Amino acid sequence: SWVKEFVAGTRQLLRADKLDMVQLHWPDLNQTAYIDTLRWLCMDERLSSLAVTNFNVHALSRAIDECRLPISANVVSLSVIDQRPMGELLPFCRARSVHVFAYGVLLGGLLSEVWLGRREPLDKELDNLSAVRYMKVVRRWGGWRLFQRLLETMAAVAFKHQQTIAVVAMRWALQQEGVSAVIVGSRLGNPACDTSAESAGLFTFELDDEDLSAINAVASMGRDLRRKIGDIGAEYVVEENGTPLAVF
């Protein structure tokens, strides 16, 4: 019933007879009730297409098979250090004509000149929850010293193209085959999280093979996050008591 109320409420808010797309986020894909939800959404003639969030290959394949409506997009975490979607998911999405939208590309603002050459921050020194979360990812991936080496490498690439580390990080994600767009938040007044001006240069250059090789060489020195955290979206799965299953 809550799904019906959501769709009806959104249509009313937008003053629209039909919605072009509804996006479904289901944190625990082991709970197969998401299939029932998708089936209901697909029966609603007021919807044109669906999108999903953090669906792995198994869940996405089942969703496509069960739905009358097209699954137009899958929104997933992807960054230089979190390359989990690049193993199986991106090729699968390309084959099934599902667009991939990448978030977490800037690691909550950590991929920035602001953090280049600085000591590792305490969680309480980070000014947003995203940065706190991604700081945990950095630690699981390889730690602050290796992250500094990555920042140095990306800063050199940025200097070469007269861009910033953040723009290089976004450009890297966009050049992964199968990625259609990046989703980047902005916090005005925070230099590490406000890319509104510099992102204008995102489509004025491309990373060449030398750039990509340099960045990927350092990224590959870290741990495989699929082994350390789990498959796509595993970090959002919680037990009944609210404890995350994928403890950073």
Side-chain angles (χ1 to χ4, degrees), residues 28 31 237-245:
D28 189 355
Q31 298 178 359
V237 179
V238 296
E239 296 176 332
E240 291 184 359
N241 63 4
T243 303
L245 291 179

Side-chain angles (χ1 to χ4, degrees), residues 31-245:
Q31 298 178 359
T32 56
Y34 76 90
I35 291 296
D36 295 329
T37 302
L38 284 170
R39 285 172 180 161
W40 183 88
L41 288 170
C42 287
M43 291 188 296
D44 194 331
E45 296 181 353
R46 299 164 298 181
L47 305 182
S48 299
S49 68
L50 300 174
V52 293
T53 303
N54 285 328
F55 271 39
N56 56 37
V57 169
H58 174 74
L60 183 58
S61 177
R62 187 172 180 187
I64 292 172
D65 291 341
E66 294 282 353
C67 286
R68 174 187 64 84
L69 295 174
I71 305 292
S72 300
N74 190 10
V75 182
V76 300
S77 176
L78 174 69
S79 68
V80 171
I81 71 171
D82 184 2
Q83 300 186 18
R84 287 176 292 169
M86 294 171 60
E88 300 175 346
L89 185 67
L90 289 187
F92 178 83
C93 288
R94 291 199 305 271
R96 302 302 292 266
S97 300
V98 177
H99 293 283
V100 173
F101 298 162
Y103 72 88
V105 175
L106 303 183
L107 301 176
L110 294 175
L111 281 173
S112 164
E113 283 82 1
V114 170
W115 295 105
L116 180 60
R118 292 179 59 177
R119 65 167 177 81
E120 180 177 347
L122 302 173
D123 287 353
K124 65 181 180 181
E125 295 173 321
L126 298 169
D127 61 1
N128 67 84
L129 292 177
S130 290
V132 173
R133 174 187 175 275
Y134 287 115
M135 189 66 234
K136 291 178 171 60
V137 175
V138 168
R139 291 169 184 145
R140 292 299 296 269
W141 166 74
W144 192 250
R145 180 176 296 180
L146 183 57
F147 188 69
Q148 282 296 312
R149 184 169 177 178
L150 179 63
L151 286 177
E152 291 169 1
T153 301
M154 296 181 72
V157 173
F159 180 79
K160 170 183 172 181
H161 294 284
Q162 297 185 322
Q163 300 293 336
T164 64
I165 291 175
V167 173
V168 168
M170 289 187 276
R171 188 69 242 176
W172 179 92
L174 282 174
Q175 286 186 219
Q176 306 310 310
E177 191 174 0
V179 175
S180 300
V182 295
I183 301 173
V184 179
S186 182
R187 292 177 176 84
L188 298 178
N190 184 333
C193 299
D194 182 9
T195 60
S196 54
E198 62 203 75
S199 59
L202 182 58
F203 299 102
T204 64
F205 77 107
E206 287 189 358
L207 300 176
D208 58 32
D209 291 342
E210 182 182 13
D211 301 330
L212 294 170
S213 295
I215 294 170
N216 291 334
V218 181
S220 65
M221 294 178 186
R223 303 181 185 95
D224 181 354
L225 288 182
R226 185 164 184 169
R227 294 183 178 181
K228 298 300 293 184
I229 297 176
D231 204 351
I232 299 160
E235 59 268 40
Y236 295 106
V237 179
V238 296
E239 296 176 332
E240 291 184 359
N241 63 4
T243 303
L245 291 179

